[in-house]
Amino acid sequence: KMYKINFVFKYNIQFINVDEFNNHGEEMNSSNSFYNLAEAEYCIGLYMYMCLIGYDSNKISILTTYNGQKELIKEIFAKKCGWNKLFSNIGKISTVDKYQGQQNDFIILSLVRSKKIGYLRDIRRFIVSLSRARQGLYIFGKWELFYNCLELNKTMSIFKDKYNCKNRKLVLCLEGNENKVVEVGDFMHMYRLVQELLKIAMNNCENDKNTEDINNK
């Protein structure tokens, strides 16, 4: 169980750079809405990790800036999380616009765009997308694209100056120990960490079942 708020992260707020995966960054679906597979997978991987480490799934929401990405995240969620009640009670998967006026303790945010910023160039809409979290905000996006945008530079500088980390990688504190950190390389690395925790969880369940069987004999 979680013994202090946000114990697994080095930072309460982080902008995590997501590079193209197999030369794919932002893409457009049949409804002419943008999506980004690497960011979608990373969001779900982080959500699963948080649940496995002891966070309340209902206290986590995944937000994104495009309907195409929201639908992709929901599709991955159904495939990778729907089978396990530990993951199934997510706070919400939503676009930022539909989440107006709402908050949650932990927000995982996908900015999607990797070539052009599009409407997020509007600083007011960008700031709204960053103001939904109470305890922890984890933003997945193309760092260079957003940092080099003139309209967003002042806001993005906060992430550079105050919440800096090597190579813009997500920094996790293993076992809640601030001196035992790991920098997550990409979403595949994130899923490997998830698999390690799943193995531990399944072994614990099997041991509990064996103990219960022995006690019932």
Side-chain angles (χ1 to χ4, degrees), residues 53-66:
I53 212 75
Y55 285 73
D56 182 347
S57 61
N58 194 46
K59 300 293 185 181
I60 308 166
S61 290
I62 301 177
L63 305 183
T64 185
T65 48
Y66 288 88

Side-chain angles (χ1 to χ4, degrees), residues 129-144:
S129 70
L130 306 182
S131 60
R132 304 296 93 194
R134 300 189 192 101
Q135 303 292 347
L137 172 64
Y138 301 95
I139 305 159
F140 292 96
K142 186 73 172 177
W143 169 263
E144 187 176 356

Side-chain angles (χ1 to χ4, degrees), residues 53-156:
I53 212 75
Y55 285 73
D56 182 347
S57 61
N58 194 46
K59 300 293 185 181
I60 308 166
S61 290
I62 301 177
L63 305 183
T64 185
T65 48
Y66 288 88
N67 274 314
Q69 185 74 337
K70 179 195 73 174
E71 294 307 318
L72 177 59
I73 290 171
K74 283 187 171 183
E75 180 182 319
I76 297 170
F77 177 85
K79 185 184 300 181
K80 295 190 173 177
C81 300
W83 62 276
N84 191 322
K85 63 181 180 181
L86 180 66
F87 305 127
S88 60
N89 194 33
I90 190 169
K92 191 166 284 189
I93 298 173
S94 174
T95 60
V96 172
D97 287 347
K98 294 291 186 181
Y99 206 70
Q100 290 277 3
Q102 301 177 67
Q103 287 186 315
N104 208 344
D105 285 356
F106 300 97
I107 296 293
I108 300 170
L109 172 64
S110 169
L111 297 178
V112 183
R113 303 301 295 269
S114 62
K115 297 173 184 175
K116 294 183 179 179
I117 288 182
Y119 78 85
L120 281 178
R121 188 177 294 275
D122 182 341
I123 186 63
R124 293 167 299 179
R125 299 188 79 172
F126 186 68
I127 288 176
V128 165
S129 70
L130 306 182
S131 60
R132 304 296 93 194
R134 300 189 192 101
Q135 303 292 347
L137 172 64
Y138 301 95
I139 305 159
F140 292 96
K142 186 73 172 177
W143 169 263
E144 187 176 356
L145 177 69
F146 285 86
Y147 181 72
N148 289 330
C149 175
L150 182 63
E151 292 90 340
L152 306 182
N153 186 257
K154 185 175 180 181
T155 301
M156 291 297 295

Side-chain angles (χ1 to χ4, degrees), residues 15-19 42 139-145 167-170 184-186:
F15 190 111
I16 298 106
N17 179 61
V18 180
D19 290 318
Y42 211 150
I139 305 159
F140 292 96
K142 186 73 172 177
W143 169 263
E144 187 176 356
L145 177 69
N167 300 325
R168 303 286 155 200
K169 302 297 185 186
L170 175 65
V184 182
D186 53 24

